[in-house]
Amino acid sequence: MKILVVGSGGREHALAWRMARGGHAVHAAPGNPGIAAVATCHDVGVGDLDGQVALAVRLGVDLVVVGPEAPLVAGLADRLRAAGVPTFGPGADGARLEGSKIFSKELFARHGIPTSAFRVCGSIAEADRAIDELGADVVVKADGLAAGKGVVVCATVDEARAAARDMLEQKRFGAAGDRLVIEQKIVGREVSVLALTDGARLEVLAAAEDHKTIFDGDRGPNTGGMGTVSPSWVSDAALARIRAEILEPTVRGLAAEGIDYRGVLYAGVMIDRAGTPWTLEYNCRFGDPETQPVMMRLSGDLGAVLAGAAVGAMPEGALAWDPRAAVCVVLASAGYPEAPRTGDAIGGLDGPDAIDEGDDLVVFHAGTARKGGRLVTAGGRVLGVTALGDGVAGARARAYGAVERIRFDGMQYRRDLGLRGA
Ligand code: GLY
């Protein structure tokens, strides 16, 4: 098949790499220097919906896979389908699962999907009342997309009130914070569970654990994700509960509400001390950096599965998992996450230095660019060094071995990936 991947990050590199390995002719828009090694890149931005549709039609692709959430929320999948292009990714109605925290929490409530108690607030008075009712241990969430920053986990009433004021009065996230969800905090350990769906069937992918803060030991500010380990610490029994109690009711609920959801259901799940899974939120696309280790472990024809899902006929049981573990170490730029610096030369990936250990070690590009032939940093998260190995310890050793061969000024990464254990 000829497949167009929309996006330019590490997630899209991993998807393009896996589908190219499966023998498909992969294109990407806009792509990045790493993606260019496995796909033909086109200079069309993620936000240029007209340009993406025109490109897909001009190339005559058999499938478009949309990576990021913003174009999905903006209706890119609807427009591609209207132009006759099979597309893996929900329409704007389904993408509200990620685009509106209020929509998703209310959907959970309507369909008995386990989630914490919550209130919807559009004013300071409503927010203060919600905090009075729910107590100090709450999470304040901007309703709309806020580049992953619109969630504030609070420990005191003052913090919760300040977060609500920051969003509602100071407009910290613009219109995305015009309305809020304030919900009770669930204490436990988080896991990302990604599933593919064609609107009726579900194919649950291998689970991965993200590491969200910039520093070791879960300290420091939150980031888009500093690394991932797959398989996660979650037992098969817990995963079976997540499927039965969260993912399957979501697919049924969406269908019952007339939403034909063909894409990824990415559930952020908190497992509490009693082992009960709670739905924190959904994303409507593959996770980043969850996708990187998951694609390394995946065998089977991903392109065929996504193409099937795109037309409502996803083959089930067509994917298999490498029993080895995979670890992805994100290398971030100086100043990330507050003010990432760009333009630093990256050493260790070009010419005689190049890391080449076949399919057991792949350096996925995220924020990179070519400037005068040199590879330079071009974003906050720069690279995702991803390795397979025997057990988490083996994967970790191989990934960190490669990290030591890569250098750029101000390079930041966590050193504790894979040490957490079960
Ligand atoms: N790993 C976090 C995300 O993809 O949103």
Side-chain angles (χ1 to χ4, degrees):
M1 285 187 293
K2 196 188 272 190
I3 301 172
L4 173 63
V5 175
V6 175
S8 63
R11 160 186 54 209
E12 288 79 20
H13 188 179
L15 292 167
W17 172 83
R18 172 47 63 210
M19 292 191 286
R21 281 286 183 277
H24 300 291
V26 183
H27 294 252
N32 66 34
I35 296 175
V38 294
T40 306
C41 292
H42 303 268
D43 189 16
V44 178
V46 160
D48 178 1
L49 304 197
D50 290 339
Q52 293 285 356
V53 175
L55 176 67
V57 170
R58 180 168 65 73
L59 292 172
V61 296
D62 303 294
L63 172 69
V64 174
V65 179
V66 183
E69 63 278 13
L72 292 168
V73 171
L76 178 58
D78 304 293
R79 293 179 58 175
L80 286 161
R81 287 188 189 110
V85 182
T87 301
F88 182 79
D93 56 357
R96 283 180 296 166
L97 262 191
E98 178 164 1
S100 169
K101 300 277 187 294
I102 295 171
F103 170 81
S104 55
K105 287 290 278 193
E106 290 181 339
L107 182 104
F108 302 158
R110 281 195 296 278
H111 297 283
I113 297 161
T115 197
S116 62
F118 69 101
R119 306 282 186 274
V120 173
C121 310
S123 67
I124 295 291
E126 285 172 352
D128 285 346
R129 193 159 52 244
I131 295 161
D132 286 344
E133 287 168 7
L134 297 173
D137 277 331
V138 293
V139 182
V140 178
K141 297 181 170 177
D143 176 46
L145 291 182
K149 295 186 177 132
V151 173
V152 182
V153 181
C154 306
T156 67
V157 165
D158 286 348
E159 269 176 41
R161 289 196 171 142
R165 279 162 178 73
D166 206 25
M167 295 183 198
L168 289 169
E169 277 182 354
Q170 306 303 318
K171 297 284 169 210
R172 171 138 184 246
F173 303 112
D178 281 351
R179 292 202 299 159
L180 315 179
V181 164
I182 300 184
E183 67 180 20
Q184 227 153 35
K185 181 161 66 185
I186 307 279
V187 177
R189 190 165 168 188
E190 200 176 329
V191 66
S192 309
V193 183
L194 283 78
L196 313 176
T197 182
D198 61 1
R201 301 169 192 82
L202 259 180
E203 184 76 38
V204 181
L205 304 183
E209 185 174 24
D210 194 4
H211 295 68
K212 294 226 163 74
T213 64
I214 185 89
F215 301 130
D216 286 10
D218 295 330
R219 289 174 305 106
N222 268 337
T223 70
M226 289 299 290
T228 24
V229 177
S230 177
S232 75
W233 55 279
V234 180
S235 68
D236 288 346
L239 283 173
R241 276 189 76 177
I242 291 168
R243 180 182 177 116
E245 296 172 24
I246 296 176
L247 294 165
E248 287 174 354
T250 303
V251 171
R252 285 195 298 270
L254 289 165
E257 300 199 6
I259 297 172
D260 185 8
Y261 194 104
R262 301 173 187 186
V264 175
L265 284 171
Y266 162 172
V269 177
M270 189 69 86
I271 304 200
D272 71 15
R273 290 191 185 108
T276 303
W278 297 86
T279 321
L280 297 178
E281 61 185 19
Y282 266 112
N283 295 318
C284 64
R285 37 85 194 170
F286 287 99
D288 189 344
E290 288 88 341
T291 305
Q292 290 84 323
V294 169
M295 288 301 120
M296 296 277 294
R297 295 188 60 219
L298 183 150
S299 58
D301 187 348
L302 178 70
V305 173
L306 300 187
V311 296
M314 182 173 69
E316 282 177 290
L319 299 177
W321 302 100
D322 193 315
R324 290 177 296 168
V327 169
C328 170
V329 182
V330 169
L331 307 185
S333 57
Y336 182 72
E338 286 88 4
R341 191 173 74 201
T342 58
D344 287 307
I346 301 171
L349 294 180
D350 281 326
D353 282 351
I355 294 169
D356 182 5
E357 295 186 23
D359 286 0
D360 285 359
L361 173 69
V362 184
V363 180
F364 292 116
H365 288 226
T368 68
R370 290 249 172 232
K371 229 179 187 174
R374 293 195 74 182
L375 196 62
V376 298
T377 63
R381 291 186 294 170
V382 177
L383 298 163
V385 181
T386 312
L388 285 168
D390 291 328
V392 171
R396 177 186 144 78
R398 182 177 278 146
Y400 280 105
V403 166
E404 281 173 17
R405 294 159 56 192
I406 299 172
R407 52 202 176 272
F408 51 86
D409 278 353
M411 184 168 109
Q412 307 187 70
Y413 61 93
R414 282 181 62 150
R415 284 148 178 90
D416 64 345
L417 299 178
L419 289 184
R420 226 180 230 167

XYZ file of all heavy atoms in Angstrom, residues 263-326:
465
model
N -9.956 4.636 14.896
C -8.655 5.197 15.247
C -8.146 4.583 16.533
O -8.504 3.458 16.890
N -7.299 5.335 17.214
C -6.705 4.859 18.467
C -7.556 5.334 19.645
O -7.964 6.492 19.692
C -5.281 5.440 18.651
C -4.698 5.038 20.007
C -4.358 4.975 17.534
N -7.796 4.447 20.562
C -8.305 4.834 21.871
C -7.126 4.693 22.828
O -6.641 3.579 23.059
C -9.438 3.912 22.321
C -10.787 4.140 21.654
C -11.740 3.010 22.024
C -11.377 5.489 22.042
N -6.639 5.804 23.310
C -5.472 5.808 24.190
C -5.992 6.205 25.564
O -6.310 7.352 25.815
C -4.457 6.779 23.625
C -3.346 7.304 24.514
C -2.334 8.047 23.952
C -3.278 7.081 25.886
C -1.306 8.572 24.717
C -2.264 7.587 26.648
C -1.278 8.336 26.055
O -0.269 8.856 26.824
N -6.097 5.202 26.415
C -6.652 5.447 27.748
C -5.519 5.703 28.739
O -4.588 4.897 28.847
C -7.473 4.239 28.202
N -5.598 6.823 29.427
C -4.736 7.057 30.577
C -5.468 6.492 31.781
O -6.562 6.950 32.112
N -4.880 5.461 32.391
C -5.586 4.727 33.453
C -4.771 4.801 34.741
O -3.552 4.619 34.724
C -5.771 3.246 33.042
C -6.437 2.440 34.153
C -6.573 3.146 31.750
N -5.438 5.078 35.839
C -4.791 5.033 37.157
C -5.271 3.767 37.851
O -6.485 3.529 37.943
C -5.170 6.270 37.978
C -4.390 6.402 39.259
S -2.653 6.779 38.962
C -2.701 8.563 38.826
N -4.324 2.978 38.312
C -4.691 1.775 39.067
C -4.463 2.083 40.543
O -3.335 2.410 40.945
C -3.863 0.571 38.594
C -4.082 0.410 37.087
C -4.218 -0.679 39.393
C -3.766 -0.911 36.499
N -5.544 2.036 41.308
C -5.403 2.446 42.708
C -4.819 1.315 43.560
O -4.524 0.224 43.054
C -6.741 2.977 43.258
C -7.792 1.881 43.453
O -7.432 0.688 43.445
O -8.974 2.235 43.616
N -4.673 1.590 44.836
C -3.977 0.622 45.709
C -4.730 -0.694 45.807
O -4.147 -1.736 46.085
C -3.755 1.233 47.095
C -2.728 2.345 47.052
C -2.290 2.774 48.440
N -1.396 3.919 48.341
C -1.727 5.164 48.682
N -2.919 5.441 49.175
N -0.849 6.139 48.552
N -6.029 -0.628 45.568
C -6.817 -1.869 45.631
C -6.789 -2.605 44.286
O -7.404 -3.660 44.146
C -8.252 -1.537 46.011
N -6.105 -2.046 43.304
C -6.016 -2.705 41.992
C -7.143 -2.340 41.054
O -7.279 -2.917 39.968
N -7.952 -1.359 41.437
C -9.082 -0.961 40.587
C -8.619 0.051 39.534
O -7.968 1.036 39.884
C -10.188 -0.313 41.454
O -10.551 -1.265 42.449
C -11.395 0.080 40.626
N -8.957 -0.192 38.268
C -8.568 0.775 37.233
C -9.587 1.903 37.099
O -10.800 1.670 37.074
C -8.540 -0.081 35.959
C -9.429 -1.234 36.224
C -9.543 -1.413 37.713
N -9.084 3.142 37.018
C -9.918 4.332 36.859
C -9.485 5.066 35.588
O -8.298 5.241 35.350
C -9.730 5.284 38.033
C -10.148 4.704 39.344
C -9.382 3.940 40.177
C -11.429 4.849 39.970
N -10.110 3.590 41.290
C -11.372 4.137 41.191
C -12.603 5.508 39.625
C -12.451 4.062 42.059
C -13.674 5.445 40.499
C -13.602 4.726 41.694
N -10.446 5.535 34.824
C -10.115 6.257 33.591
C -9.793 7.704 33.943
O -10.654 8.433 34.463
C -11.322 6.259 32.628
O -11.943 4.987 32.708
C -10.884 6.547 31.207
N -8.560 8.111 33.663
C -8.191 9.513 33.884
C -8.644 10.351 32.703
O -9.228 11.416 32.863
C -6.679 9.644 34.037
C -6.042 8.941 35.231
C -4.540 9.140 35.200
C -6.628 9.470 36.529
N -8.315 9.870 31.518
C -8.659 10.625 30.312
C -8.393 9.755 29.106
O -7.775 8.693 29.208
C -7.811 11.892 30.220
C -6.325 11.596 30.130
C -5.457 12.848 30.161
O -5.940 13.889 30.598
O -4.303 12.737 29.736
N -8.887 10.218 27.974
C -8.571 9.556 26.708
C -7.810 10.510 25.811
O -8.073 11.721 25.811
C -9.860 9.176 25.962
C -10.318 7.760 26.224
C -11.480 7.505 26.934
C -9.591 6.680 25.729
C -11.915 6.212 27.163
C -10.016 5.381 25.961
C -11.177 5.150 26.669
O -11.591 3.864 26.886
N -6.909 9.950 25.027
C -6.379 10.658 23.873
C -6.899 9.940 22.641
O -7.205 8.743 22.681
C -4.850 10.664 23.889
C -4.317 11.460 25.067
O -4.827 12.532 25.378
N -3.325 10.925 25.747
N -6.977 10.682 21.542
C -7.617 10.126 20.343
C -6.590 9.752 19.290
O -6.910 9.674 18.119
C -8.621 11.143 19.783
S -7.849 12.668 19.198
N -5.366 9.496 19.729
C -4.255 9.216 18.806
C -3.223 8.378 19.538
O -3.331 8.147 20.743
C -3.653 10.538 18.318
C -3.610 11.658 19.368
C -2.453 11.637 20.246
N -2.569 12.495 21.419
C -1.705 12.442 22.403
N -0.724 11.597 22.401
N -1.846 13.219 23.464
N -2.216 7.924 18.787
C -1.135 7.156 19.416
C -0.388 8.046 20.412
O -0.246 9.254 20.200
C -0.135 6.682 18.363
C -0.622 5.558 17.486
C -1.124 5.805 16.221
C -0.546 4.240 17.916
C -1.554 4.767 15.403
C -0.966 3.194 17.111
C -1.476 3.462 15.849
N 0.125 7.443 21.477
C 0.893 8.184 22.475
C 2.325 8.409 22.018
O 2.872 7.657 21.213
N 2.915 9.440 22.554
C 4.298 9.754 22.235
C 4.991 10.093 23.548
O 4.641 11.105 24.166
C 4.316 10.959 21.270
C 5.700 11.216 20.706
O 6.677 10.687 21.254
O 5.796 11.952 19.706
N 5.883 9.284 24.078
C 6.657 8.248 23.420
C 6.201 6.802 23.646
O 7.032 5.894 23.548
C 8.037 8.454 24.025
C 7.765 8.853 25.448
C 6.468 9.624 25.411
N 4.928 6.528 23.894
C 4.502 5.134 24.045
C 4.657 4.350 22.725
O 4.981 3.162 22.716
C 3.033 5.055 24.481
C 2.778 5.460 25.914
C 2.528 6.943 26.073
O 2.894 7.703 25.152
O 1.984 7.349 27.105
N 4.384 5.041 21.627
C 4.365 4.352 20.330
C 5.740 3.770 19.972
O 5.816 2.721 19.322
C 3.910 5.354 19.243
O 2.648 5.877 19.667
C 3.742 4.696 17.900
N 6.799 4.445 20.404
C 8.133 4.015 19.987
C 8.451 2.598 20.475
O 8.759 1.724 19.660
C 9.182 5.039 20.459
C 9.128 6.388 19.717
C 8.107 7.383 20.246
O 7.018 7.001 20.656
N 8.423 8.672 20.244
N 8.369 2.289 21.789
C 8.651 0.907 22.193
C 7.586 -0.073 21.712
O 7.894 -1.237 21.428
C 8.689 0.973 23.722
C 7.936 2.193 24.090
C 8.140 3.161 22.962
N 6.354 0.393 21.614
C 5.278 -0.513 21.173
C 5.512 -0.932 19.716
O 5.357 -2.102 19.356
C 3.904 0.159 21.394
C 2.791 -0.613 20.711
C 3.622 0.267 22.900
N 5.928 0.004 18.870
C 6.206 -0.356 17.469
C 7.418 -1.285 17.360
O 7.477 -2.137 16.490
C 6.453 0.910 16.631
C 5.214 1.717 16.380
S 3.926 0.780 15.504
C 2.586 0.863 16.690
N 8.386 -1.126 18.266
C 9.553 -2.018 18.225
C 9.144 -3.452 18.563
O 9.727 -4.401 18.052
C 10.605 -1.568 19.249
C 11.204 -0.222 18.999
S 12.552 -0.170 17.833
C 13.836 -1.086 18.632
N 8.150 -3.607 19.435
C 7.758 -4.947 19.877
C 6.723 -5.582 18.957
O 6.457 -6.776 19.048
C 7.195 -4.893 21.310
C 8.228 -4.468 22.353
C 7.684 -4.629 23.764
N 7.317 -5.987 24.047
C 6.235 -6.350 24.748
N 5.425 -5.429 25.249
N 5.965 -7.617 24.946
N 6.133 -4.762 18.099
C 5.006 -5.249 17.293
C 5.496 -6.026 16.070
O 6.420 -5.606 15.384
C 4.174 -4.042 16.842
C 2.903 -4.275 16.047
C 1.914 -3.156 16.343
C 3.192 -4.308 14.553
N 4.851 -7.164 15.816
C 5.072 -7.812 14.527
C 3.699 -8.072 13.923
O 2.677 -7.968 14.598
C 5.881 -9.101 14.677
O 5.220 -9.990 15.541
N 3.680 -8.344 12.648
C 2.399 -8.392 11.932
C 2.315 -7.143 11.082
O 3.129 -6.223 11.213
N 1.321 -7.117 10.198
C 1.237 -6.042 9.205
C 0.397 -4.891 9.759
O -0.822 -4.855 9.588
C 0.633 -6.610 7.914
C 0.665 -5.605 6.782
O 0.930 -4.406 7.034
O 0.415 -6.022 5.637
N 1.070 -3.944 10.407
C 0.347 -2.813 11.003
C -0.435 -2.048 9.934
O -1.583 -1.647 10.161
C 1.322 -1.862 11.701
C 0.659 -0.625 12.309
C -0.193 -0.993 13.514
C 1.697 0.429 12.701
N 0.187 -1.847 8.766
C -0.490 -1.099 7.699
C -1.824 -1.736 7.352
O -2.848 -1.049 7.204
N -1.837 -3.064 7.228
C -3.079 -3.761 6.864
C -4.125 -3.615 7.972
O -5.326 -3.461 7.695
C -2.792 -5.232 6.586
N -3.683 -3.656 9.220
C -4.631 -3.538 10.333
C -5.237 -2.125 10.372
O -6.455 -1.955 10.525
C -3.945 -3.905 11.674
C -4.862 -3.621 12.863
C -3.538 -5.379 11.655
N -4.390 -1.113 10.199
C -4.902 0.266 10.221
C -5.803 0.520 9.009
O -6.828 1.215 9.120
C -3.745 1.271 10.238
C -2.776 1.175 11.430
C -1.789 2.340 11.404
C -3.495 1.122 12.764
N -5.438 -0.047 7.869
C -6.271 0.130 6.664
C -7.626 -0.539 6.867
O -8.672 0.000 6.472
C -5.563 -0.444 5.444
N -7.625 -1.707 7.513
C -8.892 -2.382 7.800
C -9.748 -1.539 8.743
O -10.946 -1.336 8.522
N -9.103 -1.022 9.784
C -9.841 -0.193 10.750
C -10.425 1.041 10.059
O -11.542 1.466 10.362
C -8.918 0.231 11.894
N -9.676 1.590 9.125
C -10.115 2.822 8.450
C -11.417 2.618 7.680
O -12.169 3.566 7.474
C -9.016 3.307 7.507
N -11.661 1.370 7.250
C -12.890 1.115 6.484
C -13.892 0.282 7.286
O -14.836 -0.296 6.725
C -12.579 0.460 5.113
C -11.772 1.414 4.253
C -11.862 -0.876 5.272
N -13.685 0.203 8.591
C -14.658 -0.487 9.444
C -14.555 -1.994 9.399
O -15.514 -2.695 9.730
N -13.413 -2.521 8.981
C -13.257 -3.977 8.891
C -11.872 -4.373 9.377
O -11.070 -4.950 8.636
C -13.465 -4.431 7.446
N -11.584 -4.059 10.631
C -10.244 -4.332 11.166
C -10.075 -5.831 11.413
O -10.901 -6.442 12.095
C -10.056 -3.569 12.481
C -8.671 -3.761 13.086
S -8.395 -2.696 14.512
C -9.516 -3.429 15.709
N -9.010 -6.419 10.853
C -8.773 -7.828 11.176
C -8.366 -7.952 12.640
O -7.598 -7.138 13.144
C -7.605 -8.212 10.251
C -6.945 -6.925 9.890
C -7.978 -5.839 9.998
N -8.902 -8.929 13.324
C -8.547 -9.108 14.735
C -7.465 -10.177 14.861
O -7.397 -11.106 14.058
C -9.775 -9.516 15.543
C -10.675 -8.331 15.844
C -11.921 -8.749 16.580
O -12.785 -9.406 15.967
O -12.028 -8.426 17.768
N -6.625 -10.024 15.865
C -5.594 -11.027 16.131
C -4.483 -11.032 15.098
O -3.734 -12.005 14.977
N -4.346 -9.962 14.329
C -3.345 -9.931 13.261
C -2.004 -9.381 13.739
O -1.054 -9.351 12.966
C -3.860 -9.083 12.086
N -1.961 -8.937 14.984
C -0.703 -8.385 15.497
C -0.151 -9.311 16.581
O -0.903 -9.923 17.333
C -0.949 -6.996 16.094
C -1.494 -5.944 15.114
C -1.776 -4.634 15.838
C -0.537 -5.723 13.942
N 1.168 -9.389 16.627
C 1.808 -10.200 17.665
C 2.895 -9.352 18.314
O 3.281 -8.304 17.778
C 2.400 -11.452 17.049
N 3.369 -9.817 19.463
C 4.295 -9.015 20.270
C 5.575 -9.762 20.540
O 5.556 -10.927 20.937
C 3.612 -8.617 21.595
C 2.373 -7.870 21.287
C 1.098 -8.350 21.293
C 2.296 -6.542 20.778
N 0.235 -7.391 20.850
C 0.948 -6.262 20.520
C 3.242 -5.544 20.519
C 0.513 -5.043 20.017
C 2.818 -4.334 20.024
C 1.462 -4.096 19.780
N 6.668 -9.093 20.298
C 7.980 -9.627 20.640
C 7.999 -9.811 22.164
O 7.678 -8.877 22.902
C 9.057 -8.614 20.207
C 10.454 -9.197 20.240
O 10.780 -9.878 21.235
O 11.217 -8.980 19.293
N 8.350 -10.995 22.637
C 8.329 -11.196 24.102
C 9.392 -10.376 24.815
O 9.337 -10.205 26.037
C 8.594 -12.692 24.263
C 9.203 -13.136 22.973
C 8.721 -12.198 21.909
N 10.355 -9.859 24.069
C 11.371 -9.032 24.717
C 10.772 -7.693 25.157
O 9.713 -7.290 24.686
C 12.535 -8.797 23.763
C 13.361 -10.065 23.512
C 14.444 -9.816 22.505
N 13.893 -9.484 21.188
C 14.608 -9.003 20.172
N 15.897 -8.810 20.314
N 14.034 -8.738 19.010
N 11.464 -7.014 26.039
C 11.026 -5.691 26.492
C 11.623 -4.619 25.591
O 12.609 -4.856 24.887
C 11.467 -5.468 27.928
N 11.020 -3.445 25.616
C 11.582 -2.299 24.896
C 11.585 -1.091 25.833
O 10.651 -0.882 26.610
C 10.769 -1.994 23.648
